[in-house]
Amino acid sequence: MISTSPVPGAPIWLDLATPDTDATAAFYTGLFGWTAPSAGPDSGGYAFFELDGKMIGGFGPLMEPGASPAWIPYFATTDADASTKAVEQAGGTVRVPPMDVMTEGRMAQYTDPTGGKFAVWQPGNTTGFKVANVPGSLSWVELHTTDGPAAIAFYRSALGWHVQEMPMGEGMVYTVLSPGDRQGDDDGFGGVMAMPELPEVLWRPYFEVEDCDATVAKATALGAKVIMEPATMPEVGRMAELVDPHGARFSVITGASRS
């Protein structure tokens, strides 16, 4: 379960990089009922996504040459510099070295050895998102990678995660992730899905919704494309995968407790 309190190694923030911030704001506010206040005149076009006045994450223009629109998860750390050393030692690449974001916190961005982009956040005044696991908010993060064992070995070394393998039938295994010091049934915050033929390795957020099918219909009306039609997984919920009008992938899920 995603926590709204900073837990080292667990998700703490989400960023969306997009080529058109105005259109992106219109899409997500229309889909989830979010608001999108600016982070200020000196923010370089960065803005926040909020649900009922509580922060969900942020979004801004694409900054890296050749980068694709994508959601990027940030994981909590008590020391961004030490996390950067751990990432390098584990074989990751530093895309943005540790830097202070005014007094809000300290961040760094990386790419794992299989190509997945992620970041860390050392809280300052901003401790992370303020709402999770309710309709319109983040409830899970998932890495889609071409090399599951390599990715898992990297993140265990770099971020100290605990992993639990769950057979899915037909030789497939899903790996559930939790912070290294928390290994209970409710401490899982995400998973790893290995798919050798993936065109792109990426982290994908899941947003909780009241009605998966209705949300998918609304998303397509707003310009999204459906990658995976709504489907029900027993004891998990009903979910679908979408790509927003500019190419960023995300999922929606109506958890089993709401079905």
Side-chain angles (χ1 to χ4, degrees):
M1 180 178 290
I2 302 288
S3 174
T4 55
S5 299
V7 177
I12 190 173
W13 190 251
L14 275 177
D15 261 354
L16 173 60
T18 177
D20 188 333
T21 54
D22 289 340
T24 291
F27 172 77
Y28 285 100
T29 57
L31 181 60
F32 293 126
W34 295 343
T35 55
S38 170
D42 300 324
S43 66
Y46 194 82
F48 300 112
F49 283 129
E50 295 184 351
L51 177 66
D52 297 328
K54 297 179 180 180
M55 286 195 290
I56 297 289
F59 67 105
L62 284 165
M63 303 298 288
E64 298 178 61
S68 301
W71 285 96
I72 305 294
Y74 283 63
F75 300 101
T77 181
T78 58
D79 188 332
D81 296 83
S83 292
T84 299
K85 292 180 181 178
V87 165
E88 291 178 311
Q89 290 173 352
T93 302
V94 179
R95 297 194 338 273
V96 178
M99 59 177 287
D100 291 323
V101 183
M102 298 176 283
T103 59
E104 301 307 310
R106 190 165 174 79
M107 59 155 283
Q109 296 185 349
Y110 319 108
T111 303
D112 73 35
T114 73
K117 294 181 178 180
F118 71 104
V120 296
W121 180 258
Q122 179 182 332
N125 294 339
T126 297
T127 58
F129 41 63
K130 299 299 183 183
V131 60
N133 310 308
V134 301
S137 68
L138 183 70
S139 62
W140 194 254
V141 293
E142 190 171 84
L143 175 63
H144 289 195
T145 180
T146 54
D147 190 335
I152 292 165
F154 165 78
Y155 286 103
R156 291 186 70 177
S157 176
L159 297 181
W161 289 345
H162 173 76
V163 302
Q164 180 180 2
E165 293 187 347
M166 300 181 64
M168 296 181 64
E170 298 182 1
M172 295 184 65
V173 174
Y174 189 81
T175 302
V176 176
L177 310 170
S178 59
D181 61 346
R182 302 187 180 199
Q183 302 172 15
D185 291 340
D186 293 331
D187 293 320
F189 59 74
V192 175
M193 176 68 75
M195 293 180 281
E197 303 303 321
L198 272 180
E200 181 183 14
V201 175
L202 53 80
W203 279 96
R204 180 157 51 89
Y206 281 67
F207 298 107
E208 183 74 23
V209 295
E210 289 280 6
D211 185 325
C212 178
D213 296 72
T215 301
V216 169
K218 190 173 187 179
T220 56
L222 290 168
K225 295 180 180 179
V226 180
I227 303 301
M228 184 189 80
E229 294 285 351
T232 299
M233 180 175 291
E235 301 183 13
V236 175
R238 189 162 176 81
M239 65 191 75
E241 182 180 354
L242 302 159
V243 56
D244 74 19
H246 294 103
R249 295 192 178 212
F250 67 100
S251 288
V252 294
I253 182 169
T254 301
S257 62
R258 300 181 188 278
S259 301

